[in-house]
Amino acid sequence: MARIKKGDQVIVIAGKDKGKTGRVLEVLKDVDRVVVEGVQRVTKHTKVGQSANGARTGGIETVEAPIHASNVMPIDPKTKKRTRVGFRVEEGQRPNGRKRTVRVRYAKKSGEDL
């Protein structure tokens, strides 16, 4: 199970954007990177092309680039500070009455579910 997932609120702990917070937009598991909203903004030059409706688009745009997953930490929902992630196994019931186990992520600082 992943420690950081899409939609998590995280804080950057290293790099040029240290201290900034944002929501995870995308997780790139194969290269251990995450794209965070408003962090690691880079300028991208796009070539002028012709789209289906005949409009020409191109120029310079600012987009978020991936940042290494080790440089971000989730934010604790209770204390609003950075925290480590723990996993615990909880027992639940299926609609047909059978038991099942579920792994739940929680903030180690406060014990709240993430």
Side-chain angles (χ1 to χ4, degrees):
M1 192 170 194
R3 295 186 189 282
I4 298 173
K5 289 187 172 183
K6 181 179 177 179
D8 283 354
Q9 192 72 22
V10 295
I11 186 167
V12 179
I13 59 170
K16 68 176 187 177
D17 293 321
K18 183 177 179 177
K20 287 188 181 178
T21 62
R23 190 160 302 280
V24 175
L25 300 175
E26 187 180 359
V27 177
L28 308 169
K29 287 198 309 191
D30 53 336
V31 288
D32 283 338
R33 291 183 174 269
V34 292
V35 178
V36 182
E37 185 177 33
V39 174
Q40 190 72 14
R41 309 263 304 168
V42 295
T43 55
K44 188 174 183 181
H45 297 262
T46 57
K47 197 172 184 180
V48 176
Q50 201 160 4
S51 62
N53 59 3
R56 293 176 164 263
T57 56
I60 302 171
E61 54 186 39
T62 308
V63 294
E64 287 98 0
I67 185 171
H68 200 272
S70 66
N71 293 336
V72 296
M73 284 185 84
I75 294 179
D76 192 327
K78 193 172 189 180
T79 62
K80 303 296 183 206
K81 293 185 179 178
R82 69 186 194 176
T83 182
R84 289 180 294 153
V85 177
F87 298 96
R88 68 170 168 255
V89 178
E90 292 183 353
E91 298 246 345
Q93 286 241 332
R94 288 188 174 164
N96 61 5
R98 293 177 58 191
K99 289 183 181 178
R100 70 178 214 155
T101 57
V102 181
R103 289 181 70 198
V104 179
R105 295 184 311 147
Y106 72 96
K108 289 223 177 184
K109 216 164 236 186
S110 67
E112 292 279 318
D113 288 352
L114 291 177

